[in-house]
Amino acid sequence: MSDAPALSAESGRQAPLQPNAVVAVLALAGITVSLMQTLVIPIVPELPNYLHASASNAAWAVTATLLAAAVATPVAGRLGDMFGKRLMLLVSLVLLVAGSVVCALSDSLVPMIVGRTLQGLAAPVVPLGISIMRDELPPERLAGSTALMSASLGVGGALGLPAAAFIAGHFDWHVLFWTSATLGVVAVALVLALVPESRVRTGGRFDAVGALGMAIGLVSLLLAISKGADWGWASGTTLGLFAVTVVVLTAWGFFELRTGQPLVDLRTTARRQVLFTNLASVAFGFSMFAMALVLPQLLQLPTQTGYGLGRSMMTVGLVMAPQGLVMMATAPVSAMITKSRGPKITLMIGAVVVAAGYGLNIVLMSQVWHLVLVSCIIGAGVGFAYGAMPALIMGAVPASETAAANSLNTLMRSIGTSVASAVAGVILAQLTISLGGYALPSENGFKVVMAIGAGAAVLAFLLASFLPRHRPAGAETAEAAAPEPEAETVR
């Protein structure tokens, strides 16, 4: 393409750009997608009755979303870099709407799993939104906007729980999915109206073999982690899946290093800044989800245990909701620290705050307000960290690889949450008390999980300490926001 048409197209497109509107729409899309994390939590105990299935089979309505998200996130990121980030964002939102409608019309297991799988395929919305911001926003707006977009992962989950609990308690359960479909339609319309498409593309050929290899490896890993407790950690199925993971991902890595246009550029991923940010993301994903597993159980366990608070699911949602608001409020503070001291310092501050929150939770867990306070402290720390991660990633990769790099970082967080679920499940299943003939998690079990959550945050702090220092004053953010000239060709 010649430069003249590209410039005229750019000038015609950029004139009506409204940064505030773009940020608001993308954040809304991110919150809408993250609602899928908590949408079914209030109805999980009733899913076997609703779907006429066993409890183990009904659990696939949750597992399917996790697996689909893991596969879709890196693939959609690469496709976004190749063919347009806004295009892939819209595809993801349309899949969310389609999945929600399928679930809303379901009364049996198979269509529910299909619908939840389609909802999981919408997971790339957040990393795609961050990448669009890098391409479209002025440099001075980038840090705060990406921090807000990154925090939307937690905001939607926290705010969605009380809303889902209210809907499930007062209406037919299908209304949950009609509501998510409606939010998805609104998000699609707003993206079409207000979000421009970037000209920053890599072009080239899609690495189908790499995508298949990564899908097999990730599905095997996450299946083994999420179902290991049910199947038995020493069972042939679980060990076989772990073996498949090692073999397939090792072969996949060798293939990616030798192909000309890989799905994931492992050489870029191995750069110190990208590598340690991704490792810290795994630790933070673990730490954040540990709280989401502990607090609801403490609130709902009967008071006869001596430590349970005997509250309803609606109360659980209301206790967790302030955490999402705190994460949203923390985003601009995170951006200010990133501009003045660099994202490394912001990430380390977040790790310290999260570790302090878990430490406080070990001694304060006997009152509802204790858990509100702890969730807000941990939410603030996560808000700092999640705001810093996109800045670290985008400061180390070219503009033409932004979506793929951010998608991989999001995947690392998801792996951390999956590991947290498995580890916490094993601990709480082993440290129990007997009440009325039923085995319930013990107080010490919860304290052990919280201590491990604090340890994961400390690990993230140590990993962040290996990150290179950044110039304060946000110079690196401006550089990260500027697209590379050779990447601005649409092919």
Side-chain angles (χ1 to χ4, degrees):
M1 295 181 71
S2 66
D3 289 341
L7 290 173
S8 63
E10 178 75 5
S11 60
R13 176 175 61 80
Q14 290 288 2
L17 179 67
Q18 304 174 43
N20 289 336
V22 170
V23 172
V25 170
L26 293 176
L28 173 64
I31 290 172
T32 299
V33 170
S34 63
L35 288 173
M36 298 307 105
Q37 299 174 3
T38 52
L39 184 68
V40 299
I41 288 179
I43 63 171
V44 163
E46 301 299 327
L47 275 179
N49 294 330
Y50 293 153
L51 303 177
H52 312 291
S54 66
S56 59
N57 286 336
W60 283 100
V62 177
T63 306
T65 306
L66 169 70
L67 299 179
V71 173
T73 300
V75 171
R78 173 61 177 154
L79 290 173
D81 284 333
M82 291 177 64
F83 303 115
K85 303 173 185 75
R86 176 177 178 265
L87 172 62
M88 292 310 302
L89 181 75
L90 287 168
V91 169
S92 299
L93 289 171
V94 169
L95 290 171
L96 170 67
V97 174
S100 299
V101 171
V102 171
C103 290
L105 296 173
S106 298
D107 285 305
S108 59
L109 182 63
V110 172
M112 174 62 77
I113 292 176
V114 171
R116 289 289 290 165
T117 300
L118 290 172
Q119 287 183 323
L121 295 176
V125 162
V126 171
L128 287 168
I130 292 172
S131 304
I132 291 171
M133 288 176 176
R134 181 185 189 181
D135 293 345
E136 302 301 326
L137 296 181
E140 66 273 10
R141 294 289 307 273
L142 186 60
S145 300
T146 56
L148 178 62
M149 188 71 193
S150 185
S152 70
L153 277 170
V155 173
L159 299 182
L161 188 56
F166 176 81
I167 292 172
H170 293 81
F171 302 95
D172 179 80
W173 66 276
H174 294 91
V175 175
L176 287 170
F177 297 103
W178 287 121
T179 302
S180 65
T182 301
L183 290 172
V185 169
V186 171
V188 168
L190 291 175
V191 169
L192 285 171
L194 297 171
V195 177
E197 179 61 274
S198 169
R199 292 190 306 118
V200 180
R201 313 278 177 85
T202 60
R205 177 182 58 83
F206 180 69
D207 179 15
V209 175
L212 179 62
M214 174 174 264
I216 294 172
L218 287 175
V219 168
S220 299
L221 173 64
L222 294 175
L223 263 182
I225 292 173
S226 60
K227 290 293 187 179
D230 296 331
W231 295 337
W233 292 106
S235 70
T237 302
T238 303
L239 295 177
L241 285 171
F242 278 127
V244 169
T245 300
V246 172
V247 172
V248 171
L249 290 185
T250 300
W252 172 81
F254 280 111
F255 177 82
E256 292 296 280
L257 288 172
R258 285 161 174 73
T259 189
Q261 297 174 332
L263 177 74
V264 177
D265 189 339
L266 295 180
R267 292 180 176 83
T268 298
T269 304
R271 293 175 186 171
R272 184 171 61 153
Q273 184 162 320
V274 178
L275 176 62
F276 281 97
T277 300
N278 284 334
L279 292 175
S281 297
V282 175
F284 261 107
F286 185 106
S287 194
M288 179 182 176
F289 201 66
M291 177 199 61
L293 291 168
V294 168
L295 266 59
Q297 293 192 62
L298 282 173
L299 285 163
Q300 291 184 284
L301 282 173
T303 56
Q304 290 88 337
T305 60
Y307 50 89
L309 300 178
R311 303 305 175 113
S312 66
M313 177 58 74
M314 187 66 195
T315 301
V316 172
L318 293 174
V319 168
M320 301 293 285
Q323 178 201 18
L325 300 176
V326 168
M327 290 180 67
M328 189 178 296
T330 304
V333 182
S334 171
M336 290 172 56
I337 298 174
T338 294
K339 287 181 179 179
S340 63
R341 302 297 302 275
K344 171 182 176 176
I345 300 300
T346 310
L347 184 60
M348 295 176 76
I349 290 173
V352 170
V353 173
V354 170
Y358 276 110
L360 189 63
N361 198 185
I362 293 174
V363 296
L364 290 181
M365 54 185 289
S366 60
Q367 302 289 333
V368 172
W369 71 266
H370 291 170
L371 302 185
V372 173
L373 174 63
V374 166
S375 69
C376 288
I377 292 174
I378 295 175
V382 172
F384 278 117
Y386 277 18
M389 288 171 188
L392 286 163
I393 293 295
M394 291 188 294
V397 302
S400 57
E401 297 178 17
T402 302
N406 277 318
S407 295
L408 183 62
N409 182 251
T410 301
L411 175 63
M412 293 300 104
R413 302 186 213 177
S414 298
I415 291 175
T417 62
S418 299
V419 174
S421 178
V423 170
V426 170
I427 292 171
L428 296 179
Q430 294 297 319
L431 300 177
T432 62
I433 63 170
S434 180
L435 182 66
Y438 293 93
L440 299 175
S442 68
E443 183 177 14
N444 285 336
F446 289 120
K447 289 183 177 180
V448 169
V449 173
M450 288 183 283
I452 294 175
V458 172
L459 176 60
F461 178 89
L462 294 175
L463 290 168
S465 69
F466 288 97
L467 291 166
R469 288 190 174 274
H470 285 255
R471 297 186 300 277
E476 71 281 3
T477 304
E479 292 174 3
E484 295 183 342
E486 66 271 19
E488 289 193 23
T489 303
V490 181
R491 299 176 184 174

